[in-house]
Amino acid sequence: MKYLVKNCLLEGGEKVDILVEGGKIVSLSTKSLKVEDALVINAEGLWAIPGLVDMHTHARVPGQEHKETLESVSKAALRGGYTHLLIMPNTEPPIDSPEVLEYVKSLTKGLPINVFISATITKGRKGKELVEMGMLKEGGAKAFTDDGDWVEDEFVMLNACTYASNFDVMIISHAEKPQLSKGFANYDEKTLKYGMKFRLPISEELAVYRDCRLAEISGCHLHVAHVSYYGSVEVIGMFKERGANITCEVTPHHLVFSTDNIEPYNPNFICNPPIRDEENRRKLVRALKEGLIDVVATDHAPHAYHEKETTVEETLPGIEGLETSFSALYTHLVLPGEMDIKTLIDVMSHKPAKLLGIDNSIREGNEANFFLYNPNIKWVVKRNDILSKSKNNPFIGKELRGRVVSVFCKGKYIKEV
């Protein structure tokens, strides 16, 4: 099948025609193309953007299919412009053996989206005994993480980093010292008056320092998940300057929300690490623009209704967000002038693709993995706009600008997402 995308704006800039045939981009031209037997897609005023790449998706498979399945997470991701996902292994059972990995791989066959799988660092995510890293890498594990828990034992983490260096695989750390993060709220003047239990910012900073130092010693690639505190970013910057192979990510909710603009007792804002103060949010945005923070990752964490709609002390932490992340950041960062569109596309598409060894760029010869985006649509997010099985999305009821119109993924055209 041939598809001719007419008059789209490449990454919001130059007007081009894109010809897709046999799943590949066969022509990219600033001149008007005429092709016989092609389905013409009128993309006047639409942006063609390389498929987004999420390095931090909780698909909840196996064992928690009441929250999400690979089919439902695929639909949610495509609606948000994502063409590639790296799913987390904190499942039931965890992805800590070649057998569980092979089972999850078997479920990804035939999906409309590209799915990569991470395995745990330790068996059972208990922080005590390393998994068979070599066998899991050979079986297709793209990265290793005990996400949801920090590997507290220094000796275990050093061994993990050493093995990861030898096998040339990435370690992803959920960096929070548990002794200093027993609550759910940020520690600042806005939350002190509510008498909340806290997850102190220094719990992240100290954990980040230790893991960066171990990565520096071992030479492994350490990726710090969901950085939420500018003090942690400063530590990462110091180690980057020293030549350590450190990268990190920030979530959309830590870039948009702060304790100045959220409802403190709304369970849909409860996440680990917590949303912090406004000054900190601005510093995270600046660090992302300057490249100290490498990528945006959603930390898409679906939970069932009964698991979120309870007291803030009992609610499960996490935010659902694949469908809304790009539009939310376009609305809240690009339009007000905090960030330009080129940077947003870089940190949500080009840079995470490079970290995962993917070439998803819109160029001749590549498989078609891109989406068409209307930057002018205004829409209020409704529950039925969320295709995840879970609806714990803090943008429900809020107006966003810009929306994904259609997607090419794995070379196939998906007209309606």
Side-chain angles (χ1 to χ4, degrees), residues 117-132:
I117 305 168
S118 56
T120 63
I121 297 171
T122 64
K123 293 182 179 179
R125 294 176 52 248
K126 295 179 179 178
K128 302 296 183 184
E129 184 181 358
L130 293 183
V131 296
E132 296 290 346

Side-chain angles (χ1 to χ4, degrees), residues 106-155:
S106 72
L107 299 178
T108 67
K109 295 176 181 177
L111 290 175
I113 198 167
N114 300 281
V115 174
F116 300 105
I117 305 168
S118 56
T120 63
I121 297 171
T122 64
K123 293 182 179 179
R125 294 176 52 248
K126 295 179 179 178
K128 302 296 183 184
E129 184 181 358
L130 293 183
V131 296
E132 296 290 346
M133 197 173 284
M135 293 176 66
L136 285 160
K137 181 194 176 182
E138 187 177 339
K142 199 73 172 176
F144 292 83
T145 178
D146 275 5
D147 186 59
D149 288 302
W150 186 53
V151 179
E152 198 170 352
D153 189 303
E154 283 84 4
F155 186 73

Side-chain angles (χ1 to χ4, degrees), residues 371-402:
F371 64 99
L372 298 176
Y373 188 76
N374 187 331
N376 299 312
I377 289 178
K378 293 182 180 180
W379 58 297
V380 175
V381 183
K382 299 181 174 62
R383 284 180 62 86
N384 61 9
D385 292 318
I386 306 302
L387 298 184
S388 167
K389 292 184 75 172
S390 301
K391 311 298 178 184
N392 51 304
N393 186 310
F395 291 102
I396 291 175
K398 293 179 168 58
E399 183 178 274
L400 298 179
R401 269 280 293 278

Side-chain angles (χ1 to χ4, degrees), residues 22 43-44 99 106 109 144 179 190 193 214-215 266 280 290 302-303 305 308 337 359 398 400 415:
E44 188 73 42
E99 292 79 15
S106 72
K109 295 176 181 177
F144 292 83
Q179 298 90 340
K190 295 288 192 307
K193 64 183 179 182
L214 294 180
N266 185 335
N280 182 83
E290 294 173 350
H303 291 298
Y305 179 84
K308 287 299 283 187
D359 182 4
K398 293 179 168 58
L400 298 179
K415 183 178 180 181

